[in-house]
Amino acid sequence: IACGINSSVVGGTLNTASSACSFVGGGDKNLACGGYSSVVGGTLNTASAARSFIGGGENNKVISISPSIIGGGSNNIIDGSGFAFIGGGQSNTISGYYYNVIVGGLTNKNTGYNSFIGSGQFNTISGYCSSIVGGTLNTASAGCTFIGGGDRNIACGINSSVVGGTLNTASVLCSFIGGGCSNSISNYDATNKFDIIVGGENNTISNAYCSCDSVIVGGKGNTISGYNGQFQFIGGGQGNIVTTDGRFGMGVIVGGSSNQLKGGNIGDGFIGAGSNNDVCNGGYIVGGFTNVSCGANDFIGAGRNNTLSGYNNQESAIVGGCCNTISGNSCKQSFIGGGCKNIINSANNTVIVGGTLNTASAACSFIGGGENNNILSTHTDSFIVGSNIISHATCTTHVNNLTVSGSAGGT
């Protein structure tokens, strides 16, 4: 039936062109009831918006407010969106504002503005200028967001992106997740931005406020959190944590497992690898396990169970060994090379090269090695070379026995 002015029905069965200049090419039970609308073929298709077009397929409907196009497929609907396009597929819906596109796929929904779904199934866009290329059950709900593919990914921060993977969530301004599984970038403040997770599993960036530019490259179960943190980095590994309390930014963990950088008064902090290492005030640990650095700019190279701690301790170092300790108040620029169970206690510029069970408690003192040596706190500028020696004076070198070849003299 062609009952509209200048309307046409070329062929088919039970087709109707009821508006001015409408057109039905063929098929059956198609309806062109919008002015200048067209249905080329197919069955049970309805073009009720002015200047709308349906190429074919089954049970497709254009009931939008402005010209829109459905190429084919079945059960596709454009409802209330102007200048929209559905290429094909099944049960896809556009019901947002202008210029939305669904190329194909199954049960995809686009309610945004100037947004795009390429294919896949059960994908949803509600943000403006957003894109989902493909995948399953992906959601882009903020402006200018992007999801490349994968399944159950969410991009809900403005300008955020999830390239692929599964169960990833990017909810921070300008955040990025490359792939992986169950990775999350979340925030509690609008000032957070520019965070990145490249991949891995169960990695999390969850800064509170005034935090930005944090990166997790990969690994499993790694976390960056806190507030006022900037340029924090975890390369990989498992169960590593960088956390801030407002005064600690730019912390780095390269890898390893169960390592932790915690906020403190000064510094940035670094852990290279190893396991169960802890930096709590801007120190540096290269590797080993169960080492602790809580002084500003303190350094532990490797080994195990080595500790740098104490109030206002700075710039001391333990290269390696096990169970070595530099501690006490205001202990600065002291050094333990290695060995086992050596202790420097509240002494500046003091050195224990190695050995075992040696203790130095005086400033500018030195123990070369050996065992069971002790420099008392009142004996500054003292040296011990040997074993089982207790200092008895300042500015004195203590030895077990001494052999001199040649001559010795003094004043």
Side-chain angles (χ1 to χ4, degrees):
I1 301 171
C3 53
I5 298 172
N6 296 322
S7 62
S8 301
V9 175
V10 177
T13 305
L14 297 172
N15 296 309
T16 302
S18 61
S19 291
C21 303
S22 57
F23 172 85
V24 177
D28 68 288
K29 290 173 275 189
N30 295 306
L31 173 63
C33 55
Y36 300 92
S37 63
S38 299
V39 179
V40 176
T43 181
L44 293 167
N45 296 306
T46 302
S48 60
R51 296 178 175 82
S52 58
F53 175 90
I54 298 175
E58 179 182 0
N59 200 34
N60 297 306
K61 293 180 173 61
V62 178
I63 49 179
S64 61
I65 57 175
S66 298
S68 294
I69 296 172
I70 296 177
S74 63
N75 298 300
N76 297 307
I77 299 174
I78 298 175
D79 183 4
S81 179
F83 304 101
F85 174 84
I86 296 177
Q90 180 179 348
S91 300
N92 297 305
T93 302
I94 294 177
S95 60
Y97 295 97
Y98 292 96
Y99 312 116
N100 289 318
V101 173
I102 298 175
V103 177
L106 171 67
T107 319
N108 296 305
K109 186 176 183 179
N110 189 340
T111 63
Y113 171 80
N114 196 25
S115 293
F116 172 90
I117 296 176
S119 187
Q121 56 185 347
F122 304 105
N123 296 306
T124 301
I125 288 181
S126 57
Y128 60 89
C129 301
S130 295
S131 299
I132 297 176
V133 177
T136 303
L137 292 166
N138 296 308
T139 302
S141 59
C144 302
T145 53
F146 172 86
I147 297 177
D151 69 284
R152 291 168 287 177
N153 296 307
I154 299 173
C156 54
I158 294 173
N159 297 318
S160 63
S161 300
V162 178
V163 177
T166 180
L167 293 167
N168 298 308
T169 302
S171 60
V172 172
L173 175 67
C174 301
S175 57
F176 173 91
I177 298 176
C181 176
S182 300
N183 298 306
S184 174
I185 301 175
S186 62
N187 71 319
Y188 304 94
D189 183 83
T191 61
N192 294 347
K193 52 190 175 182
F194 307 131
D195 294 323
I196 295 173
I197 297 176
V198 178
E201 179 182 358
N202 290 308
N203 297 308
T204 302
I205 299 176
S206 59
N207 291 315
Y209 61 86
C210 294
S211 298
C212 60
D213 301 290
S214 293
V215 176
I216 297 175
V217 176
K220 180 179 180 180
N222 298 306
T223 302
I224 295 175
S225 64
Y227 62 95
N228 282 345
Q230 297 182 3
F231 310 111
Q232 299 169 102
F233 176 91
I234 297 176
Q238 180 174 354
N240 297 306
I241 297 173
V242 176
T243 182
T244 67
D245 64 0
R247 297 164 292 177
F248 182 87
M250 297 181 282
V252 173
I253 298 177
V254 178
S257 64
S258 303
N259 297 306
Q260 186 168 200
L261 289 175
K262 295 181 291 188
N265 293 321
I266 322 170
D268 304 322
F270 173 90
I271 297 175
S275 64
N276 294 291
N277 296 305
D278 191 346
V279 171
C280 58
N281 195 22
Y284 301 85
I285 296 176
V286 177
F289 62 96
T290 323
N291 296 307
V292 177
S293 173
C294 289
N297 299 313
D298 283 345
F299 174 90
I300 296 176
R304 60 182 175 87
N305 298 106
N306 297 305
T307 303
L308 287 158
S309 66
Y311 175 76
N312 200 29
N313 284 355
Q314 297 181 34
E315 299 165 354
S316 293
I318 298 173
V319 176
C322 68
C323 303
N324 297 306
T325 302
I326 299 176
S327 65
N329 293 332
S330 300
C331 186
K332 301 177 182 179
Q333 291 93 39
S334 291
F335 175 91
I336 296 176
C340 184
K341 299 181 181 178
N342 297 305
I343 298 172
I344 295 176
N345 183 30
S346 300
N348 294 333
N349 305 109
T350 294
V351 174
I352 298 176
V353 177
T356 182
L357 295 168
N358 297 306
T359 302
S361 304
C364 302
S365 58
F366 174 92
I367 297 175
E371 61 179 338
N372 294 308
N373 296 304
N374 189 0
I375 296 179
L376 304 180
S377 61
T378 56
H379 297 158
T380 59
D381 301 286
S382 292
F383 286 60
I384 291 178
V385 180
S387 296
N388 301 303
I389 298 171
I390 299 175
S391 66
H392 59 81
T394 61
C395 299
T396 301
T397 298
H398 304 76
V399 298
N400 296 113
N401 298 287
L402 181 63
T403 298
V404 178
S405 298
S407 61
T411 57

